[in-house]
Amino acid sequence: MKPRNIYRIVIGLLFILTGAVAGLSSSGNIVLPVILLAAGAAFLTTGLIRHNRYGDDPESDERSKKIGAYGLSYAWMTGAVGITLLFWGEYAGIGHLGGTEALELSVLLLVIPAVVFQAYLFRKGDVE
Amino acid sequence: MQTKIKECRARYSLTQDELAKKVGVRRETIVFLEQGKYNPSLKLAHDVAKTLHTTIDELFIFDDDEPGPESRVVLVD
């Protein structure tokens, strides 16, 4: 197993253990235990899935790095356009967004296009 | 772009997975390379050519590689 995946699994188990101990020892406040358990589960799952999928083969190479970078660039552009439209919509009085909604939309406008662009480019083979 | 990777690979009885491992990339990259859908870096092209005991020129054929009559160079003493 690659050291990277071993670290992921160990960190995940430590987070889960810490979250469980924090959950049992604290009364009432469940925010910290939930965060630790969720983070631990994410680390553990990532380590196991990546080991299962790639084994000792490289997880990334020049093609995947190139596509990843272009996907993020395209997503950044899409996000910039989307946020600008949101601003002008708000300025023109077309719609009114609160701070939380605006931040949520901004996150979605940056994350979803990145996933979509990367999936499309991976299927296509290259960015050109 | 077209490539002769598949033919060269067959010559040495190498699978896509084995070639990918030898040049340090994922198998999908070799698949897209063979289909001519991925434009590799000079380093990867060199590594693949070296592994298959050939040259980059032999391995990768670009659409404009075929010289027209006007672009032929005649060498004279």
Side-chain angles (χ1 to χ4, degrees), chain B residues 4-29:
Chain B
K4 289 184 182 170
I5 295 175
K6 199 173 179 180
E7 292 91 318
C8 292
R9 198 164 51 73
R11 203 182 299 156
Y12 295 100
S13 305
L14 276 175
T15 63
Q16 289 177 332
D17 202 35
E18 287 166 342
L19 179 60
K21 280 195 173 88
K22 278 178 186 282
V23 296
V25 296
R26 284 158 62 168
R27 194 183 64 83
E28 297 87 44
T29 301

mmCIF file of all heavy atoms in Angstrom, chain B residues 4-29:
data_model
loop_
_atom_site.group_PDB
_atom_site.id
_atom_site.type_symbol
_atom_site.label_atom_id
_atom_site.label_comp_id
_atom_site.label_asym_id
_atom_site.label_seq_id
_atom_site.Cartn_x
_atom_site.Cartn_y
_atom_site.Cartn_z
ATOM 1 N N LYS B 4 1.648 5.072 -33.855
ATOM 2 C CA LYS B 4 1.929 3.659 -34.144
ATOM 3 C C LYS B 4 2.241 2.911 -32.850
ATOM 4 O O LYS B 4 2.924 1.888 -32.868
ATOM 5 C CB LYS B 4 3.114 3.552 -35.105
ATOM 6 C CG LYS B 4 2.796 4.007 -36.509
ATOM 7 C CD LYS B 4 3.989 3.762 -37.406
ATOM 8 C CE LYS B 4 3.694 4.262 -38.814
ATOM 9 N NZ LYS B 4 4.910 4.255 -39.637
ATOM 10 N N ILE B 5 1.753 3.465 -31.739
ATOM 11 C CA ILE B 5 2.073 2.854 -30.439
ATOM 12 C C ILE B 5 1.545 1.426 -30.368
ATOM 13 O O ILE B 5 2.237 0.522 -29.902
ATOM 14 C CB ILE B 5 1.491 3.707 -29.285
ATOM 15 C CG1 ILE B 5 2.172 5.071 -29.257
ATOM 16 C CG2 ILE B 5 1.679 3.012 -27.937
ATOM 17 C CD1 ILE B 5 1.590 6.030 -28.248
ATOM 18 N N LYS B 6 0.320 1.241 -30.854
ATOM 19 C CA LYS B 6 -0.300 -0.088 -30.761
ATOM 20 C C LYS B 6 0.532 -1.138 -31.507
ATOM 21 O O LYS B 6 0.792 -2.228 -30.986
ATOM 22 C CB LYS B 6 -1.718 -0.021 -31.334
ATOM 23 C CG LYS B 6 -2.599 -1.148 -30.896
ATOM 24 C CD LYS B 6 -4.017 -0.918 -31.363
ATOM 25 C CE LYS B 6 -4.910 -2.062 -30.949
ATOM 26 N NZ LYS B 6 -6.285 -1.861 -31.389
ATOM 27 N N GLU B 7 0.981 -0.762 -32.728
ATOM 28 C CA GLU B 7 1.773 -1.696 -33.528
ATOM 29 C C GLU B 7 3.109 -1.998 -32.840
ATOM 30 O O GLU B 7 3.530 -3.149 -32.750
ATOM 31 C CB GLU B 7 2.053 -1.124 -34.924
ATOM 32 C CG GLU B 7 0.829 -1.012 -35.813
ATOM 33 C CD GLU B 7 0.138 0.332 -35.684
ATOM 34 O OE1 GLU B 7 0.004 0.826 -34.541
ATOM 35 O OE2 GLU B 7 -0.293 0.876 -36.719
ATOM 36 N N CYS B 8 3.749 -0.937 -32.363
ATOM 37 C CA CYS B 8 5.055 -1.124 -31.700
ATOM 38 C C CYS B 8 4.897 -1.924 -30.416
ATOM 39 O O CYS B 8 5.749 -2.745 -30.078
ATOM 40 C CB CYS B 8 5.686 0.228 -31.387
ATOM 41 S SG CYS B 8 6.176 1.119 -32.859
ATOM 42 N N ARG B 9 3.814 -1.665 -29.718
ATOM 43 C CA ARG B 9 3.551 -2.382 -28.469
ATOM 44 C C ARG B 9 3.373 -3.876 -28.751
ATOM 45 O O ARG B 9 3.896 -4.731 -28.033
ATOM 46 C CB ARG B 9 2.284 -1.791 -27.844
ATOM 47 C CG ARG B 9 2.075 -2.086 -26.402
ATOM 48 C CD ARG B 9 1.036 -1.164 -25.810
ATOM 49 N NE ARG B 9 -0.215 -1.077 -26.543
ATOM 50 C CZ ARG B 9 -1.143 -2.014 -26.580
ATOM 51 N NH1 ARG B 9 -0.951 -3.118 -25.936
ATOM 52 N NH2 ARG B 9 -2.274 -1.826 -27.274
ATOM 53 N N ALA B 10 2.657 -4.163 -29.841
ATOM 54 C CA ALA B 10 2.412 -5.569 -30.205
ATOM 55 C C ALA B 10 3.721 -6.268 -30.554
ATOM 56 O O ALA B 10 3.890 -7.456 -30.274
ATOM 57 C CB ALA B 10 1.444 -5.629 -31.377
ATOM 58 N N ARG B 11 4.635 -5.498 -31.163
ATOM 59 C CA ARG B 11 5.922 -6.064 -31.555
ATOM 60 C C ARG B 11 6.682 -6.612 -30.333
ATOM 61 O O ARG B 11 7.374 -7.594 -30.408
ATOM 62 C CB ARG B 11 6.752 -4.967 -32.235
ATOM 63 C CG ARG B 11 7.818 -5.495 -33.157
ATOM 64 C CD ARG B 11 8.618 -4.343 -33.751
ATOM 65 N NE ARG B 11 7.806 -3.428 -34.542
ATOM 66 C CZ ARG B 11 8.135 -2.161 -34.771
ATOM 67 N NH1 ARG B 11 9.236 -1.652 -34.262
ATOM 68 N NH2 ARG B 11 7.365 -1.389 -35.512
ATOM 69 N N TYR B 12 6.530 -5.929 -29.228
ATOM 70 C CA TYR B 12 7.235 -6.358 -27.999
ATOM 71 C C TYR B 12 6.303 -7.067 -27.018
ATOM 72 O O TYR B 12 6.666 -7.280 -25.856
ATOM 73 C CB TYR B 12 7.884 -5.154 -27.314
ATOM 74 C CG TYR B 12 8.966 -4.541 -28.158
ATOM 75 C CD1 TYR B 12 8.724 -3.410 -28.915
ATOM 76 C CD2 TYR B 12 10.225 -5.133 -28.238
ATOM 77 C CE1 TYR B 12 9.701 -2.857 -29.709
ATOM 78 C CE2 TYR B 12 11.209 -4.587 -29.023
ATOM 79 C CZ TYR B 12 10.957 -3.450 -29.773
ATOM 80 O OH TYR B 12 11.929 -2.909 -30.569
ATOM 81 N N SER B 13 5.104 -7.419 -27.490
ATOM 82 C CA SER B 13 4.101 -8.120 -26.666
ATOM 83 C C SER B 13 3.860 -7.429 -25.329
ATOM 84 O O SER B 13 3.790 -8.061 -24.276
ATOM 85 C CB SER B 13 4.532 -9.568 -26.400
ATOM 86 O OG SER B 13 4.773 -10.218 -27.598
ATOM 87 N N LEU B 14 3.732 -6.109 -25.421
ATOM 88 C CA LEU B 14 3.469 -5.336 -24.207
ATOM 89 C C LEU B 14 1.993 -4.996 -24.136
ATOM 90 O O LEU B 14 1.390 -4.619 -25.149
ATOM 91 C CB LEU B 14 4.254 -4.021 -24.238
ATOM 92 C CG LEU B 14 5.701 -3.992 -23.778
ATOM 93 C CD1 LEU B 14 6.286 -2.611 -24.021
ATOM 94 C CD2 LEU B 14 5.787 -4.323 -22.301
ATOM 95 N N THR B 15 1.407 -5.118 -22.958
ATOM 96 C CA THR B 15 0.015 -4.677 -22.802
ATOM 97 C C THR B 15 0.020 -3.179 -22.499
ATOM 98 O O THR B 15 1.065 -2.605 -22.169
ATOM 99 C CB THR B 15 -0.676 -5.415 -21.644
ATOM 100 O OG1 THR B 15 0.003 -5.070 -20.431
ATOM 101 C CG2 THR B 15 -0.645 -6.917 -21.829
ATOM 102 N N GLN B 16 -1.169 -2.568 -22.616
ATOM 103 C CA GLN B 16 -1.279 -1.134 -22.308
ATOM 104 C C GLN B 16 -0.863 -0.883 -20.863
ATOM 105 O O GLN B 16 -0.196 0.101 -20.555
ATOM 106 C CB GLN B 16 -2.724 -0.680 -22.522
ATOM 107 C CG GLN B 16 -3.136 -0.632 -23.974
ATOM 108 C CD GLN B 16 -4.583 -0.259 -24.135
ATOM 109 O OE1 GLN B 16 -5.407 -0.513 -23.248
ATOM 110 N NE2 GLN B 16 -4.928 0.328 -25.261
ATOM 111 N N ASP B 17 -1.262 -1.801 -20.001
ATOM 112 C CA ASP B 17 -0.948 -1.657 -18.578
ATOM 113 C C ASP B 17 0.562 -1.718 -18.338
ATOM 114 O O ASP B 17 1.112 -0.921 -17.564
ATOM 115 C CB ASP B 17 -1.665 -2.765 -17.805
ATOM 116 C CG ASP B 17 -1.854 -2.414 -16.347
ATOM 117 O OD1 ASP B 17 -2.077 -1.220 -16.064
ATOM 118 O OD2 ASP B 17 -1.755 -3.316 -15.502
ATOM 119 N N GLU B 18 1.218 -2.643 -19.019
ATOM 120 C CA GLU B 18 2.673 -2.787 -18.840
ATOM 121 C C GLU B 18 3.406 -1.547 -19.361
ATOM 122 O O GLU B 18 4.330 -1.053 -18.717
ATOM 123 C CB GLU B 18 3.171 -4.047 -19.562
ATOM 124 C CG GLU B 18 2.781 -5.334 -18.851
ATOM 125 C CD GLU B 18 2.955 -6.577 -19.716
ATOM 126 O OE1 GLU B 18 3.052 -6.432 -20.965
ATOM 127 O OE2 GLU B 18 2.961 -7.684 -19.153
ATOM 128 N N LEU B 19 2.971 -1.061 -20.534
ATOM 129 C CA LEU B 19 3.602 0.140 -21.086
ATOM 130 C C LEU B 19 3.374 1.331 -20.149
ATOM 131 O O LEU B 19 4.300 2.118 -19.893
ATOM 132 C CB LEU B 19 3.034 0.448 -22.481
ATOM 133 C CG LEU B 19 3.584 1.689 -23.158
ATOM 134 C CD1 LEU B 19 5.086 1.606 -23.358
ATOM 135 C CD2 LEU B 19 2.902 1.924 -24.507
ATOM 136 N N ALA B 20 2.150 1.430 -19.632
ATOM 137 C CA ALA B 20 1.826 2.534 -18.705
ATOM 138 C C ALA B 20 2.742 2.484 -17.486
ATOM 139 O O ALA B 20 3.267 3.519 -17.053
ATOM 140 C CB ALA B 20 0.363 2.445 -18.285
ATOM 141 N N LYS B 21 2.951 1.281 -16.955
ATOM 142 C CA LYS B 21 3.816 1.142 -15.766
ATOM 143 C C LYS B 21 5.254 1.519 -16.105
ATOM 144 O O LYS B 21 5.939 2.171 -15.321
ATOM 145 C CB LYS B 21 3.765 -0.298 -15.255
ATOM 146 C CG LYS B 21 2.527 -0.578 -14.422
ATOM 147 C CD LYS B 21 2.683 -1.882 -13.645
ATOM 148 C CE LYS B 21 1.535 -2.079 -12.678
ATOM 149 N NZ LYS B 21 0.385 -2.753 -13.256
ATOM 150 N N LYS B 22 5.707 1.122 -17.309
ATOM 151 C CA LYS B 22 7.097 1.402 -17.684
ATOM 152 C C LYS B 22 7.361 2.900 -17.836
ATOM 153 O O LYS B 22 8.449 3.367 -17.540
ATOM 154 C CB LYS B 22 7.436 0.690 -18.997
ATOM 155 C CG LYS B 22 7.805 -0.787 -18.802
ATOM 156 C CD LYS B 22 8.077 -1.436 -20.142
ATOM 157 C CE LYS B 22 8.293 -2.926 -19.996
ATOM 158 N NZ LYS B 22 9.630 -3.271 -19.510
ATOM 159 N N VAL B 23 6.351 3.636 -18.335
ATOM 160 C CA VAL B 23 6.578 5.073 -18.539
ATOM 161 C C VAL B 23 5.981 5.918 -17.409
ATOM 162 O O VAL B 23 6.051 7.148 -17.448
ATOM 163 C CB VAL B 23 6.032 5.557 -19.918
ATOM 164 C CG1 VAL B 23 6.777 4.882 -21.041
ATOM 165 C CG2 VAL B 23 4.543 5.318 -20.041
ATOM 166 N N GLY B 24 5.374 5.266 -16.421
ATOM 167 C CA GLY B 24 4.899 5.975 -15.226
ATOM 168 C C GLY B 24 3.649 6.797 -15.401
ATOM 169 O O GLY B 24 3.533 7.895 -14.840
ATOM 170 N N VAL B 25 2.720 6.288 -16.229
ATOM 171 C CA VAL B 25 1.432 6.985 -16.371
ATOM 172 C C VAL B 25 0.287 6.002 -16.118
ATOM 173 O O VAL B 25 0.519 4.796 -15.970
ATOM 174 C CB VAL B 25 1.258 7.626 -17.777
ATOM 175 C CG1 VAL B 25 2.281 8.709 -18.012
ATOM 176 C CG2 VAL B 25 1.312 6.571 -18.870
ATOM 177 N N ARG B 26 -0.933 6.540 -16.114
ATOM 178 C CA ARG B 26 -2.093 5.670 -15.943
ATOM 179 C C ARG B 26 -2.432 4.994 -17.271
ATOM 180 O O ARG B 26 -2.128 5.520 -18.334
ATOM 181 C CB ARG B 26 -3.293 6.505 -15.459
ATOM 182 C CG ARG B 26 -3.170 6.863 -14.006
ATOM 183 C CD ARG B 26 -3.991 8.054 -13.618
ATOM 184 N NE ARG B 26 -5.409 7.857 -13.805
ATOM 185 C CZ ARG B 26 -6.324 8.682 -13.313
ATOM 186 N NH1 ARG B 26 -5.971 9.719 -12.592
ATOM 187 N NH2 ARG B 26 -7.596 8.477 -13.547
ATOM 188 N N ARG B 27 -3.074 3.834 -17.181
ATOM 189 C CA ARG B 27 -3.393 3.073 -18.389
ATOM 190 C C ARG B 27 -4.284 3.882 -19.343
ATOM 191 O O ARG B 27 -4.142 3.808 -20.563
ATOM 192 C CB ARG B 27 -4.095 1.760 -18.021
ATOM 193 C CG ARG B 27 -4.169 0.751 -19.158
ATOM 194 C CD ARG B 27 -4.941 -0.471 -18.744
ATOM 195 N NE ARG B 27 -6.337 -0.170 -18.453
ATOM 196 C CZ ARG B 27 -7.289 -0.068 -19.382
ATOM 197 N NH1 ARG B 27 -6.991 -0.239 -20.652
ATOM 198 N NH2 ARG B 27 -8.526 0.228 -19.042
ATOM 199 N N GLU B 28 -5.199 4.692 -18.770
ATOM 200 C CA GLU B 28 -6.109 5.487 -19.619
ATOM 201 C C GLU B 28 -5.317 6.439 -20.518
ATOM 202 O O GLU B 28 -5.737 6.717 -21.646
ATOM 203 C CB GLU B 28 -7.072 6.317 -18.766
ATOM 204 C CG GLU B 28 -8.022 5.522 -17.894
ATOM 205 C CD GLU B 28 -7.412 5.174 -16.549
ATOM 206 O OE1 GLU B 28 -6.775 6.038 -15.923
ATOM 207 O OE2 GLU B 28 -7.551 4.017 -16.128
ATOM 208 N N THR B 29 -4.189 6.923 -20.004
ATOM 209 C CA THR B 29 -3.373 7.840 -20.803
ATOM 210 C C THR B 29 -2.838 7.122 -22.046
ATOM 211 O O THR B 29 -2.818 7.690 -23.143
ATOM 212 C CB THR B 29 -2.215 8.393 -19.935
ATOM 213 O OG1 THR B 29 -2.795 9.061 -18.813
ATOM 214 C CG2 THR B 29 -1.359 9.368 -20.702
#
